[in-house]
Amino acid sequence: MSSRVVYVSGGANGIGKAIVKSFLENGDTVIFSDIHVEKGKQLEELLKNAGYDVCFYHCDISKVADIQMLFQFIENHYGRLNIVVNNAGLSSFKSIWEVTEEDWNQIIATNLSSVFFTSREAAKLMKKDGGSIVNIASTRAFMSEENTEAYSASKGGIFSITHALAMTFSEHHITVNSISPGWIETENYESLRKEDHVQHPSKRVGLPEDIARACLFLTDSKNNFINGENIMIDGGMTKKMIYLS
């Protein structure tokens, strides 16, 4: 069994929750953070009762001071760090005419700035033995619907900062990659319509576990030749040419 130390942001819900479970099932020690305290504590208790080595830490990743305190905690309690998954993000869509400066800054701070500051703090602990960072971007970094400017900008930034970090951290043997999920249903998969599934070339809507498996793959040390890369996991939708008939 593996004994890697893993940190996952936004681990109490959805994709993040699946990522946390996948690393634990792989035999890793996992620290996960979330802004939602009750959900985080409930998940931590559930997983500990199942025998997993897991720790929940309450953190607002839009605040640099919170990130710094989190990594001080990790250093003090674990002494090392092997893997980071920057998963947490704020999904908020509003008419372009209604977006305030506060709205814009909050999404950029939560979704993008957090990736930079988290990765930098993580690298301080990874310098000695190397490690792996995975950033969760989105297909919205490459294609858009109306009134998604702040969110799309943040995810496009994650795509770009991923290859920049990969170059900067290469001397420390730290790989940095990103994953761009498409439609991943995190709440009520059974309620989806047939047409929701069949429009995808893969003939189904995605599940959080689809992303979690990719995180395990990218953080396997045998796969360290994959570096600075973005993997699109969307059932083929971004490759599908669509014209109205």
Side-chain angles (χ1 to χ4, degrees), residues 128-230:
K128 180 180 178 182
D129 299 315
S132 182
I133 298 172
V134 178
N135 303 320
I136 305 301
S138 170
T139 54
R140 291 179 185 270
F142 309 96
M143 55 193 297
S144 294
E145 294 175 303
E146 61 197 28
N147 296 318
T148 63
E149 285 76 18
Y151 184 81
S152 296
S154 71
K155 294 301 183 177
I158 290 174
F159 168 77
S160 297
I161 201 174
T162 293
H163 54 73
L165 289 171
M167 299 305 104
T168 299
F169 293 156
S170 63
E171 65 177 305
H172 303 298
H173 303 286
I174 300 170
T175 62
V176 189
N177 293 287
S178 63
I179 296 171
S180 290
W183 184 350
I184 305 296
E185 182 58 42
T186 61
E187 295 182 1
N188 197 353
Y189 199 83
E190 292 73 19
S191 69
L192 295 173
R193 305 165 301 167
K194 180 180 179 180
E195 50 264 42
D196 295 330
H197 293 289
V198 299
Q199 67 176 310
H200 290 77
S202 293
K203 302 307 177 188
R204 69 174 177 89
V205 172
L207 289 162
E209 289 74 17
D210 292 313
I211 309 305
R213 284 190 294 271
C215 289
L216 287 174
F217 175 78
L218 289 171
T219 56
D220 187 323
S221 60
K222 294 188 292 293
N223 297 327
N224 67 357
F225 201 58
I226 305 171
N227 199 7
E229 187 58 81
N230 177 75

Side-chain angles (χ1 to χ4, degrees), residues 7 57 59-74 109 113-119 121-122:
Y7 165 63
Y57 188 97
C59 179
D60 181 351
I61 60 165
S62 71
K63 298 177 180 177
V64 177
D66 274 26
I67 293 172
Q68 292 172 332
M69 285 189 290
L70 163 66
F71 280 92
Q72 188 63 60
F73 169 83
I74 293 174
S113 299
S114 65
V115 172
F116 173 77
F117 290 108
T118 295
S119 298
E121 293 301 310

Side-chain angles (χ1 to χ4, degrees), residues 98-116:
E98 298 174 3
V99 174
T100 65
E101 181 179 9
E102 182 180 16
D103 293 332
W104 178 272
N105 290 339
Q106 183 64 27
I107 290 175
I108 297 300
T110 303
N111 296 6
L112 178 57
S113 299
S114 65
V115 172
F116 173 77

